[in-house]
Amino acid sequence: MAKTSPGEFVRQVQTEARKVVWPSRQETVTTAIFVAIMMTLLAVFFLGVDTIFGKIVAWLLTLV
């Protein structure tokens, strides 16, 4: 691998940074809302699964 001088490295970083496309405000808001909804749904799902497994374990422990 060839070594790159610090000046060349900075120029390469600037060139790559110009290629970055930032999302619009609307895209950011839409994505944030989607993430919040999915997080809530998954939290409720895992709460239900945990509750069911907790009840099964408690029931199994009463058999002992």
Side-chain angles (χ1 to χ4, degrees), residues 30-64:
T30 302
T31 303
I33 291 170
F34 178 74
V35 168
I37 290 169
M38 288 305 297
M39 186 176 60
T40 303
L41 290 174
L42 286 171
V44 170
F45 170 75
F46 285 117
L47 173 67
V49 170
D50 185 54
T51 302
I52 290 169
F53 280 128
K55 290 187 184 284
I56 290 171
V57 168
W59 176 74
L60 288 173
L61 289 175
T62 60
L63 297 177
V64 175

Side-chain angles (χ1 to χ4, degrees), residues 2-23:
K3 293 198 175 195
T4 305
S5 69
E8 180 63 25
F9 175 75
V10 169
R11 280 190 292 282
Q12 289 177 0
V13 169
Q14 288 172 339
T15 301
E16 292 300 319
R18 285 187 202 105
K19 296 178 184 177
V20 174
V21 179
W22 293 100

Side-chain angles (χ1 to χ4, degrees), residues 22-29:
W22 293 100
S24 68
R25 182 176 183 88
Q26 181 61 39
E27 289 172 326
T28 304
V29 168

